[in-house]
Amino acid sequence: MHRDESTQSAPDDPSALPYYVHKTFHFIRDIEVVVTRLAGELTGEPPAQTILPDSVDARNFKRILAEMLDKGATEELRAEFDEYFLRLMRWYWVSYDTYLQAANGVIQEVAQGLRPSALRRKAPVPWYLRWTKLDDLEYWRRSQEFLDERLVPGELEDRLVEIAQKKAMDLFREGESGDDGVRR
């Protein structure tokens, strides 16, 4: 999400560090907005705020950082902050990979459905078409029928979302089992 630069006030301190910290904060918040929206769509539970779907206490980057600045960076807050960033990165990679994998899943389903063995499942090819070597015409007709049934725009989108949601949870769990939670 791009913010209007005129609405962001830069720190008054002319040194570079506060300026970079300020810009980094806004960058992370923008990334957090995008990732939480994508993650919410992938889980079917779009958040009302910038909250990750697997958050137990509904704390986000801004709230954790505010508490750290208010109370000091205790061990518990640092651990929570680090864990939050790992979860944010996992959801980033999940949202990045999921739709590609879902599209591949739909392609695989179509490819499986167009195999000769799958096209013969409905009924055997009539003997006279096999005898006259016109059985390819029957396969072509069945392929067209299969595609007409499967590639209906609304149903195709529903199937893509269904696969994406399943893949998202699989990818997130896969990321949790890694050492640092980030897929590389």
Side-chain angles (χ1 to χ4, degrees):
M1 171 176 274
H2 179 22
R3 296 177 190 216
D4 181 17
E5 290 295 320
S6 64
T7 62
Q8 296 180 10
S9 59
D12 294 332
D13 188 347
S15 67
L17 184 60
Y19 177 75
Y20 290 134
V21 168
H22 174 77
K23 287 298 185 182
T24 302
F25 173 79
H26 283 289
F27 176 74
I28 292 170
R29 285 291 289 165
D30 287 344
I31 295 298
E32 184 182 43
V33 167
V34 171
V35 170
T36 54
R37 295 302 184 269
L38 288 171
E41 288 177 18
L42 289 171
T43 59
E45 302 171 7
Q49 301 172 343
T50 54
I51 308 294
L52 291 173
D54 61 334
S55 293
V56 177
D57 58 0
R59 288 169 52 97
N60 60 10
F61 171 74
K62 187 176 180 179
R63 288 182 182 163
I64 297 169
L65 184 61
E67 189 173 335
M68 286 178 76
L69 293 174
D70 185 42
K71 295 181 181 178
T74 64
E75 290 274 334
E76 296 85 28
L77 284 175
R78 283 182 183 210
E80 183 181 358
F81 200 61
D82 289 343
E83 176 60 29
Y84 181 79
F85 270 104
L86 288 175
R87 286 186 8 252
L88 185 64
M89 287 306 298
R90 278 196 300 265
W91 278 112
Y92 168 76
W93 284 108
V94 165
S95 63
Y96 176 80
D97 280 353
T98 298
Y99 284 104
L100 176 63
Q101 288 197 11
N104 285 336
V106 168
I107 290 168
Q108 289 300 319
E109 286 180 0
V110 170
Q112 292 295 326
L114 292 175
R115 290 182 183 264
S117 60
L119 294 172
R120 282 192 294 261
R121 276 189 211 129
K122 283 187 176 181
V125 175
W127 66 269
Y128 56 87
L129 289 176
R130 286 192 317 259
W131 185 67
T132 59
K133 305 285 188 211
L134 296 175
D135 52 341
D136 286 345
L137 291 176
E138 179 63 13
Y139 286 129
W140 181 257
R141 185 191 66 73
R142 289 181 185 188
S143 297
Q144 186 63 44
E145 187 178 281
F146 173 81
L147 291 173
D148 287 345
E149 291 172 3
R150 291 293 232 159
L151 300 183
V152 177
E155 290 180 29
L156 185 61
E157 290 168 14
D158 292 345
R159 185 66 185 132
L160 188 62
V161 168
E162 180 184 326
I163 293 173
Q165 289 176 344
K166 182 185 178 314
K167 292 282 186 187
M169 295 315 294
D170 292 347
L171 285 170
F172 185 74
R173 282 187 212 102
E174 182 182 306
E176 283 181 329
S177 66
D179 294 328
D180 61 357
V182 179
R183 292 186 45 172
R184 291 191 168 90

